[in-house]
Amino acid sequence: MKPLDDALAELLAHVVSLPDHEQVCVLDADGRVLAQDVVSALQVPPQDNSAVDGYAVRCADLVAGVALPVSQRLAAGSSGQSLKAMTLARIFTGASIAPDADAVVMQENCTVQDDGAVRVDAPVQLGQNIRLSGEDVTKGAVILSKGERLTPASLGLAASIGMHVLSVVRRPRVALFSTGDELVMPGDVAPQDMPPGAIYNSNRFFLQTLLKRLGCEVTDLGIVPDNCAATIAALRAASQNHDLILTSGGVSVGEEDHIKSAVQALGHLDLWQVAMKPGKPFAYGWVGQGSALAGGDTSEAGAHFIGLPGNPVSSFVTFLLLVRPFLLKLQGGHTFAHQSIAAQANFTRTRADKRREFLRVRRNATGALELFPNQGSGVLTSVVWGDGLVDNPAGQTIKSGDVVRFIPFAEVLS
């Protein structure tokens, strides 16, 4: 079995970023990966403006206890005249600063007299409450970089410099299917009518959702029967017009597990079994005549192949730790490795495993981590209950109070 870090490095070495780009509306670009830098053609803000509602003043004109008349009114979107000596300007948040004004006083620090004149009641400093032109974005600055995965905040930033479309890498086309004669689709058979040995296909639902969250176009091929001919036929058809074929189940070593021989019959298998728990039965290869390696021949029809374990937690965890980085790199992303943080364990695990373990946990009110009592690879409840994984090295026990590596689900589910 290959160590997880080595498996991930090998997996990513096979990825060549998709070359095709498309223009999309900024409103539709959340989660997409930029195909080129976004450069600002203007300053943000374009002019000096007020950070508060109040009064624009010239500091040199202010004398304690002396009220000044209001000479103009400045609202957002308007432009003012030069501020006359010994006057002040009523100004509102976002309005451009009147020429010659050098500070803005909050209205809470001013008193309006019966004759309309305004007395400033607090000390004022030069530049106070003025947002300077370009303090957010300067003209010519790269505000978003090629390979960056867009977020709601970055879309707002792009809009702030006038962008209405962005160049992004096209969506990966992913074919998804499950193998297993025991699988039944929810809705096809009522719970009370389930035959002995049958189980509902839960993997299909979370895998399709995870793929769509990563910006993929998903072709759902359903459930493929547990025989080699059917598996070969499904793989061959899927390889013609997809970038990735993703399967769950059939990658173990039982007599009814046909994925390995089917992939080898159509292409080649490059990675088989990873030293992690849950998730040992993981496979990577290429279906078709070309090669997925950088610089390899991809002129023939073909697709990457990734086979996930059939047990739902194993499938879920291997997707987060291996498939997600693969897909982000396929889209040209430059950040795809998950980050762990230090956290305190509020549990004891006395038996060390020979494989690197990913334990389902959640933070309690003190921020310490509680362990779900059943860590079985088929217990999907543990993933719903938890808010992350403890990344526990092979051969290591855990005592309550130990500092462990914690991977929040929020880090790997976006």
Side-chain angles (χ1 to χ4, degrees), residues 96-110:
S96 297
I97 300 298
D100 298 326
D102 52 24
V104 175
V105 186
M106 293 177 65
Q107 60 189 23
E108 293 86 347
N109 294 327
C110 299

Side-chain angles (χ1 to χ4, degrees), residues 227-247:
N227 69 73
C228 195
T231 305
I232 289 175
L235 289 171
R236 181 183 287 115
S239 70
Q240 301 303 307
N241 52 7
H242 294 94
D243 305 300
L244 170 66
I245 304 167
L246 181 67
T247 68

Side-chain angles (χ1 to χ4, degrees), residues 268-345:
H268 49 84
L269 203 61
D270 303 292
L271 181 60
W272 181 259
Q273 296 191 342
V274 179
M276 60 183 290
K277 182 181 180 181
K280 180 179 73 171
F282 177 90
Y284 169 79
W286 179 264
V287 176
Q289 299 302 309
S291 171
L293 285 169
D297 177 18
T298 57
S299 58
E300 299 288 340
H304 297 276
F305 166 80
I306 294 178
L308 301 180
N311 281 321
V313 178
S314 299
S315 187
F316 187 84
V317 171
T318 50
F319 185 99
L320 297 184
L321 301 184
L322 291 164
V323 182
R324 182 178 183 273
F326 177 93
L327 287 168
L328 291 176
K329 187 174 181 185
L330 188 64
Q331 295 177 77
H334 53 60
T335 302
F336 31 78
H338 67 266
Q339 301 294 318
S340 60
I341 59 176
Q344 186 179 75

Side-chain angles (χ1 to χ4, degrees), residues 184-198 200:
V184 175
M185 285 301 298
D188 289 350
V189 180
Q192 64 271 19
D193 298 327
M194 288 282 280
Y200 287 119

Side-chain angles (χ1 to χ4, degrees), residues 8-206:
L8 179 58
E10 184 175 323
L11 188 66
L12 295 179
H14 286 83
V15 182
V16 178
S17 299
L18 297 171
D20 306 322
H21 305 160
E22 59 185 1
Q23 300 290 313
V24 299
C25 173
V26 171
L27 286 171
D28 299 324
D30 184 36
R32 304 296 294 273
V33 176
L34 277 173
Q36 62 185 36
D37 291 345
V38 177
V39 180
S40 179
L42 77 167
Q43 304 267 99
V44 179
Q47 298 89 29
D48 296 351
N49 69 79
S50 178
V52 298
D53 293 340
Y55 297 90
V57 302
R58 303 194 322 174
C59 290
D61 292 343
L62 299 179
V63 177
V66 176
L68 299 176
V70 176
S71 59
Q72 57 183 307
R73 183 179 185 276
L74 302 171
S78 64
S79 58
Q81 301 173 342
S82 292
L83 186 60
K84 297 177 182 178
M86 300 306 294
T87 70
L88 38 70
R90 180 68 165 122
I91 194 167
F92 298 91
T93 303
S96 297
I97 300 298
D100 298 326
D102 52 24
V104 175
V105 186
M106 293 177 65
Q107 60 189 23
E108 293 86 347
N109 294 327
C110 299
T111 299
V112 180
Q113 300 188 150
D114 292 341
D115 61 359
V118 176
R119 186 182 73 238
V120 175
D121 299 325
V124 180
Q125 296 181 337
L126 282 171
Q128 176 177 302
N129 295 319
I130 294 177
R131 296 186 291 213
L132 299 177
S133 171
E135 75 174 29
D136 187 6
V137 178
T138 57
K139 184 177 180 180
V142 175
I143 64 162
L144 299 168
S145 301
K146 176 182 178 181
E148 188 169 340
R149 190 160 177 243
L150 294 166
T151 66
S154 55
L155 299 183
L157 183 59
S160 77
I161 65 165
M163 302 296 295
H164 69 285
V165 295
L166 294 169
S167 179
V168 297
V169 179
R170 74 159 171 83
R171 296 182 184 276
R173 296 185 289 263
V174 181
L176 173 67
F177 67 83
S178 304
T179 66
D181 291 338
E182 75 280 11
L183 297 177
V184 175
M185 285 301 298
D188 289 350
V189 180
Q192 64 271 19
D193 298 327
M194 288 282 280
I199 59 172
Y200 287 119
N201 184 0
S202 59
N203 295 12
R204 178 182 183 181
F205 291 85
F206 65 71

